[in-house]
Amino acid sequence: IGHNWCQDAGIYEFTMGATGDKVKGRYSFVYVFEDGEWKINHHHSSIMPEGIVTAEPITKDEVRDLFQLWNGALATLDPKKVADRYAKRGVLLPTVSDIPRTDYPGIEDYFTNFLKLKPQGEIESGEIMIGTNWAQDAGIYEFTMGATGAKVKGRYTFVYVFEDGEWKISQHH
């Protein structure tokens, strides 16, 4: 604090009205007393470094291994374990159902029935694309239904996102 000026510095948090997301930032204000009132002479604000999203590296082999994690969850025959492979706002457009599943209960419900067939999948061919904290694997896969021995071939797309320290399925068709 000086003669006709003062400074305030610290950390503040904004809540984004559209999403409710919270963002912390550092700030500094320098105020001056001018024309009988306090006015902002200088303001600086910057996001906290720990709030900056950094790229989580992933290779094409690691992307393909994400399918194996999902396939392994199928092998448990536990619909919760399969649904846990999906992102918080994941979308499932199933091969053998015409009902889009856009939330955890819907995804779990689909797998409650699908797992009765004891499915195991194998990728026959696919193409992988990688971006910053997302990856896509799209191609042809085939399921063998352990309960009946039937085989079901289909097109697939998995879009993965890095969420809460893990790669999760954001979109599956």
Side-chain angles (χ1 to χ4, degrees), residues 96-111:
V96 296
S97 171
D98 60 358
I99 300 170
R101 311 305 172 115
T102 58
D103 58 16
Y104 187 95
I107 293 169
E108 182 183 2
D109 176 68
Y110 172 77
F111 285 108

Side-chain angles (χ1 to χ4, degrees), residues 95-96 114 117 120 141-145 149-154:
T95 303
V96 296
F114 186 60
L117 299 171
Q120 275 299 281
Y141 58 12
E142 183 176 74
F143 285 97
T144 301
M145 305 303 173
K151 294 191 180 280
V152 177
K153 190 178 285 198

Side-chain angles (χ1 to χ4, degrees), residues 16-149:
M16 303 303 170
T19 64
D21 290 346
K22 295 185 183 295
V23 177
K24 284 188 178 182
R26 290 187 176 94
Y27 71 88
S28 63
F29 287 94
V30 175
Y31 300 94
V32 295
F33 193 72
E34 185 177 279
D35 299 327
E37 62 183 350
W38 287 100
K39 296 182 179 180
I40 298 170
N41 177 270
H42 172 78
H43 170 234
H44 175 78
S45 183
S46 61
I47 192 167
M48 301 282 284
E50 47 281 353
I52 297 171
V53 176
T54 57
E56 181 65 26
I58 191 166
T59 66
K60 287 185 176 186
D61 287 340
E62 290 169 328
V63 171
R64 186 53 53 81
D65 287 344
L66 294 173
F67 173 81
Q68 295 307 328
L69 290 176
W70 178 78
N71 204 35
L74 292 179
T76 69
L77 304 178
D78 181 345
K80 288 184 185 310
K81 289 193 188 296
V82 182
D84 287 345
R85 297 297 319 144
Y86 289 79
K88 291 175 195 161
R89 298 180 63 194
V91 174
L92 168 64
L93 302 174
T95 303
V96 296
S97 171
D98 60 358
I99 300 170
R101 311 305 172 115
T102 58
D103 58 16
Y104 187 95
I107 293 169
E108 182 183 2
D109 176 68
Y110 172 77
F111 285 108
T112 296
N113 293 313
F114 186 60
L115 291 175
K116 292 175 185 173
L117 299 171
K118 299 182 179 176
Q120 275 299 281
E122 183 176 329
I123 292 178
E124 292 188 352
S125 63
E127 297 296 321
I128 293 171
M129 294 183 349
I130 297 172
T132 302
N133 293 343
W134 68 269
Q136 175 183 289
D137 186 357
I140 306 293
Y141 58 12
E142 183 176 74
F143 285 97
T144 301
M145 305 303 173
T148 65

